Amino acid sequence: MDPASQDINLNSPNKGLGVERSDSLSDVPVEGAVGNSVNPLPPGLTEEEAEELRTELTRVEEEIGTLRQVLSAKEKHAVELKRKLGLSPLNELRQNLTKGWQDVQTSNAYVSASATLDDITRSEAYKKTQETLSQAGQKTSAALSTVGTAISRRLGDMRNSPTFKSFEDKVGNLKYKVVGPKGNGEAVTPTDTTPTQENPPF
């Protein structure tokens, strides 16, 4: 495809489409040709006015193309300046977020919402609700403390009960039978373990 035959007008409906030169397209009418039936003139518009408008349209499209090129060059220059200043996209995003948050804080909606929240926190209903919740928390804390004290007392009573003492004695007797009289953590020496008739040596 010949680049010269490619329509590069960005506002054209044929942008980017290549025009192949063949016999099948030879009957396509050229814009502005005499007897152009594809694009008839609107009513009340003379051929001279239409030609003037086409000329102006061409000039405006060229200006748009020039402005796009200038904008592209300016964007590249801005990127280069940011790179030289050490402004990374992350730093730029951080600055934008900070500025955005400052804008939010100074916005009328935010100031109005803050004032409304301040009014609510100063209201009698809020104060009563806060006091009620505070009292409920204190009562709950006191109740939990009472329950903890009661459980401790109950465990102490249970430990002093005859059933628990009997269980403790049985565990102590079992320990004495398994470990022996030196089972209180003292080391057993070989002289202490003399074989008896019941336990002959191997």
Side-chain angles (χ1 to χ4, degrees):
M1 182 185 306
D2 183 15
S5 67
Q6 194 174 22
D7 187 0
I8 58 169
N9 184 350
L10 297 178
N11 292 328
S12 168
N14 299 325
K15 65 180 164 203
L17 298 177
V19 179
E20 297 293 329
R21 295 178 189 208
S22 67
D23 294 336
S24 64
L25 295 177
S26 62
D27 58 344
V28 175
V30 178
E31 185 177 347
V34 179
N36 186 357
S37 61
V38 176
N39 232 351
L41 293 176
L45 190 65
T46 65
E47 184 64 38
E48 293 147 3
E49 291 172 335
E51 187 60 37
E52 202 175 293
L53 290 175
R54 285 187 199 104
T55 305
E56 186 176 350
L57 176 62
T58 304
R59 184 182 54 80
V60 169
E61 287 176 343
E62 287 174 358
E63 287 176 1
I64 289 172
T66 303
L67 290 173
R68 283 193 178 121
Q69 291 174 351
V70 170
L71 179 62
S72 175
K74 293 285 185 188
E75 286 174 342
K76 288 177 185 176
H77 186 62
V79 168
E80 183 65 23
L81 291 174
K82 286 178 184 178
R83 186 189 61 76
K84 286 180 180 177
L85 287 170
L87 296 175
S88 68
L90 183 60
N91 289 340
E92 195 173 344
L93 177 65
R94 190 179 300 132
Q95 288 173 353
N96 289 343
L97 288 174
T98 303
K99 185 181 181 311
W101 177 241
Q102 289 171 351
D103 291 347
V104 166
Q105 287 179 322
T106 57
S107 69
N108 290 336
Y110 183 84
V111 172
S112 174
S114 292
T116 304
L117 286 174
D118 287 344
D119 292 345
I120 289 172
T121 55
R122 291 186 189 127
S123 69
E124 288 300 316
Y126 179 83
K127 288 178 182 176
K128 286 180 182 178
T129 304
Q130 191 176 21
E131 288 173 8
T132 304
L133 290 174
S134 176
Q135 289 173 356
Q138 290 172 356
K139 288 180 181 178
T140 303
S141 177
L144 289 175
S145 176
T146 303
V147 168
T149 304
I151 290 173
S152 296
R153 188 179 311 126
R154 187 75 175 151
L155 286 173
D157 292 347
M158 190 170 73
R159 187 154 193 247
N160 293 330
S161 70
T163 307
F164 189 82
K165 289 210 177 264
S166 170
F167 177 74
E168 195 175 34
D169 289 343
K170 287 180 183 178
V171 169
N173 288 340
L174 181 65
K175 178 182 170 190
Y176 181 77
K177 287 179 182 176
V178 171
V179 179
K182 302 272 185 185
N184 58 358
E186 296 175 7
V188 179
T189 61
T191 56
D192 290 343
T193 57
T194 55
T196 62
Q197 290 290 84
E198 298 168 359
N199 297 327
F202 292 107

